[in-house]
Amino acid sequence: MAASIESLLEEISGAEDPTEELQSLKTALLSIPLSALTDSVRGQRLDVIFSLLHSNQREQVQLCVDILERILMALSPEYLAQNYRVELQGGLTHPNESVKILALTQISRMVENPGAVTEILNHHDILRAVIHCIREEKMAVAKQLVVEISSVSPISLGYCANSSLISQLLSELTGDDVLIRATATEMVTTLAHSQHGRQYLAQQGIMDKISNMIRGAETDPFSSLYLPGLVKFFGNLAIMDSPQQVCETYPAFQNKVFEMALDPDPVMIGVALDTLGLLGSNVEGKQVLQKTGENFKAVLLRMSQLASSGATELRVRSLDAISQLLTLQPEQQTEDLLALTESWFHLLSNQPMDMIRTISTQPFPELHCGALGIFTAIATQPWGQKLMINNPGFMEFILDRSTGQTKEAKDAKYELVGSLVCSSTAAEILGSQHYLRLKTYLREGPYYVSAVASVSTEGAD
């Protein structure tokens, strides 16, 4: 196929009106899966296609864009940075918008790639060209690229800040158009992933601005469009910096998360569950939640109700959040923290072990795996192991390979067994007989089928 692509490129370079040949090349490229295309196009001379972009014929330009889009997506960002940086930079000043989008999209791939981004940062001319192009255009892809470039390093952030592009983006946070506001919130959240980005946002007073937006959301009938983004922003900020600092400095955030968890709107509930799981995934976050007392107890009870009944997606997200809240690494297991996770587990239900086990037996693989995730969270903690050994039939349930037949279910069960076996207290609490059976299960692997089971299965056929 590489030979036919090469011959088609030669035909194009020799044609007076190459429209027909371009169409043939486009058809040939689309007939090959992207994964198989890489070897066919690497090393081919694409200068003829790039040169044909400089034409007044819209059909020809569009065909060239379609061809380049396909070929360049098959090549790695590093390869593009080394071989086509100049051509793509030229595309940024092209009068045709689809050529600009092509160039911006491919440069965006380079910016996101650690190996290719240095090539961009080492050539300030391409940064300047990108910024100039973005300033001229109002395309969403352009705004996204500003954030990606700004996130790379303090130097690249400085370029974008000096060009007033970032201040323009930040002003959209409080603009009248709620959809633009929602997009701006997403982009600011991306910028906050880097430390220099967070420092810049703090200097610009953006954290206070977003906190005020959360407060003002109650009186805005359209707040449901952008409020989830504002909460996600602070959730990410808390986990990257300090949950305690963020929750104490911006109490509106934590209050809103609790409020959303009790909201009837599934979108709000979903964001609240994800944020609570994120906050509770580290020790400091757990302590912050515990400090709120009755407020968090009400939220935990709501999470338990959501996990037990309702829409499957929310049940799964609730189970995942609960497992994050209950997880404690062995080195974090102080007496106080073990007492905290144990008290949370018992707030879920009068019989939390039976409740989670009932969920695990329902005919939905994602619910089965979510329930096993909670058992895995408590499996490393002595109080969790005591509950397991004292729950009739629980060890047999763990060791029974006939439950949960999907790959995901087998992997989840294997992770649960692994957590028990790796715990320093499990042998003593569970007893040597159970512990040895768990070790055998672990050694046999997640997909082991006993000879007896396979013979009886064959007989059934």
Side-chain angles (χ1 to χ4, degrees):
M1 190 41 103
S4 64
I5 288 173
E6 190 176 357
S7 61
L8 282 167
L9 283 167
E10 282 174 15
E11 283 175 31
I12 289 166
S13 61
E16 199 167 309
D17 177 9
T19 306
E20 201 175 311
E21 288 81 358
L22 287 168
Q23 187 61 60
S24 299
L25 177 58
K26 179 184 169 180
T27 305
L29 291 168
L30 290 172
S31 69
I32 310 167
L34 205 57
S35 55
L37 196 57
T38 306
D39 292 336
S40 303
V41 296
R42 187 186 278 273
Q44 299 284 7
R45 292 180 60 82
L46 301 180
D47 46 352
V48 60
I49 307 294
F50 277 108
S51 66
L52 288 171
L53 287 170
H54 304 292
S55 164
N56 295 325
Q57 294 181 23
R58 287 187 69 84
E59 186 188 0
Q60 179 179 305
V61 171
Q62 192 54 53
L63 279 169
C64 290
V65 167
D66 294 343
I67 288 165
L68 288 169
E69 209 168 58
R70 186 77 177 161
I71 291 175
L72 299 180
M73 283 308 286
L75 298 168
S76 71
E78 293 102 317
Y79 188 87
L80 294 185
Q82 289 158 11
N83 296 278
Y84 297 114
R85 181 178 51 78
V86 175
E87 287 84 349
L88 289 169
Q89 186 177 330
L92 295 171
T93 54
H94 198 282
N96 186 306
E97 189 171 286
S98 61
V99 178
K100 283 181 182 169
I101 290 175
L102 170 74
L104 285 168
T105 304
Q106 297 305 322
I107 292 168
S108 179
R109 287 180 66 213
M110 294 185 226
V111 169
E112 288 172 0
N113 183 283
V117 71
T118 48
E119 194 75 25
I120 300 286
L121 294 178
N122 290 338
H123 294 88
H124 292 178
D125 53 339
I126 194 167
L127 268 180
R128 278 194 291 269
V130 167
I131 289 165
H132 181 75
C133 173
I134 291 167
R135 208 186 287 143
E136 299 287 307
E137 302 293 329
K138 299 289 183 205
M139 297 176 284
V141 67
K143 289 179 185 173
Q144 187 61 44
L145 191 51
V146 169
V147 174
E148 285 166 7
I149 289 172
S150 300
S151 299
V152 171
S153 74
I155 295 169
S156 60
L157 172 60
Y159 264 108
C160 294
N162 293 338
S163 69
S164 77
L165 285 169
I166 295 288
S167 57
Q168 184 186 326
L169 176 67
L170 298 181
S171 70
E172 290 178 354
L173 269 177
T174 49
D176 293 332
D177 189 320
V178 286
L179 293 177
I180 290 177
R181 202 184 294 181
T183 306
T185 305
E186 273 180 44
M187 293 187 183
V188 167
T189 303
T190 304
L191 187 56
H193 284 150
S194 63
Q195 193 177 356
H196 64 271
R198 290 197 294 281
Q199 286 173 340
Y200 176 80
L201 292 172
Q203 286 161 6
Q204 301 299 311
I206 294 304
M207 280 68 160
D208 292 319
K209 191 174 277 187
I210 290 179
S211 178
N212 290 335
M213 286 170 73
I214 289 175
R215 278 201 193 91
E218 288 170 24
T219 56
D220 183 353
F222 299 108
S223 64
S224 62
L225 294 169
Y226 61 83
L227 188 58
L230 302 180
V231 169
K232 282 180 192 173
F233 171 82
F234 273 121
N236 284 299
L237 196 65
I239 215 67
M240 283 181 284
D241 281 349
S242 154
Q244 185 176 343
Q245 191 185 334
V246 168
C247 290
E248 285 179 0
T249 312
Y250 309 104
F253 156 63
Q254 189 175 305
N255 295 338
K256 184 55 72 177
V257 173
F258 286 0
E259 199 181 295
M260 286 164 76
L262 304 172
D263 196 292
D265 182 345
V267 174
M268 296 299 170
I269 298 169
V271 173
L273 291 172
D274 297 346
T275 307
L276 288 162
L278 198 60
L279 278 176
S281 64
N282 77 11
V283 167
E284 192 182 304
K286 286 176 170 54
Q287 291 166 328
V288 167
L289 293 170
Q290 178 72 345
K291 273 185 198 170
T292 64
E294 293 302 317
N295 287 345
F296 182 62
K297 284 182 183 176
V299 166
L300 204 53
L301 192 61
R302 171 77 163 138
M303 290 170 80
S304 169
Q305 291 162 352
L306 288 165
S308 299
S309 61
T312 303
E313 190 208 341
L314 281 184
R315 294 183 72 184
V316 172
R317 284 165 88 171
S318 194
L319 290 167
D320 288 347
I322 292 168
S323 71
Q324 284 179 289
L325 289 166
L326 295 173
T327 298
L328 267 186
Q329 299 307 325
E331 66 276 8
Q332 299 167 340
Q333 292 181 14
T334 62
E335 201 174 317
D336 287 352
L337 286 169
L338 285 168
L340 180 149
T341 51
E342 185 177 7
S343 70
W344 285 0
F345 187 70
H346 286 287
L347 283 171
L348 295 174
S349 157
N350 292 332
Q351 300 291 336
M353 289 294 287
D354 294 342
M355 175 195 129
I356 305 298
R357 202 164 146 191
T358 300
I359 295 170
S360 78
T361 59
Q362 291 174 9
F364 299 98
E366 57 269 54
L367 290 178
H368 177 75
C369 293
L372 290 182
I374 292 178
F375 287 138
T376 303
I378 68 170
T380 61
Q381 301 172 59
W383 63 262
Q385 293 163 11
K386 286 173 187 168
L387 287 175
M388 288 178 180
I389 197 67
N390 291 324
N391 189 274
F394 190 83
M395 297 312 295
E396 287 67 28
F397 160 72
I398 292 180
L399 292 159
D400 182 3
R401 288 187 181 270
S402 69
T403 60
Q405 289 303 299
T406 65
K407 179 186 180 299
E408 292 76 17
K410 289 175 189 289
D411 289 341
K413 177 76 76 74
Y414 190 70
E415 192 183 341
L416 167 55
V417 171
S419 293
L420 284 168
V421 170
C422 295
S423 166
S424 59
T425 56
E428 186 187 340
I429 293 172
L430 301 176
S432 57
Q433 189 185 351
H434 287 309
Y435 188 71
L436 287 171
R437 288 178 70 195
L438 289 166
K439 281 186 83 169
T440 303
Y441 189 114
L442 197 68
R443 190 177 62 249
E444 289 169 346
Y447 316 119
Y448 175 78
V449 179
S450 70
V452 176
S454 58
V455 168
S456 62
T457 307
E458 284 166 24
D461 292 342

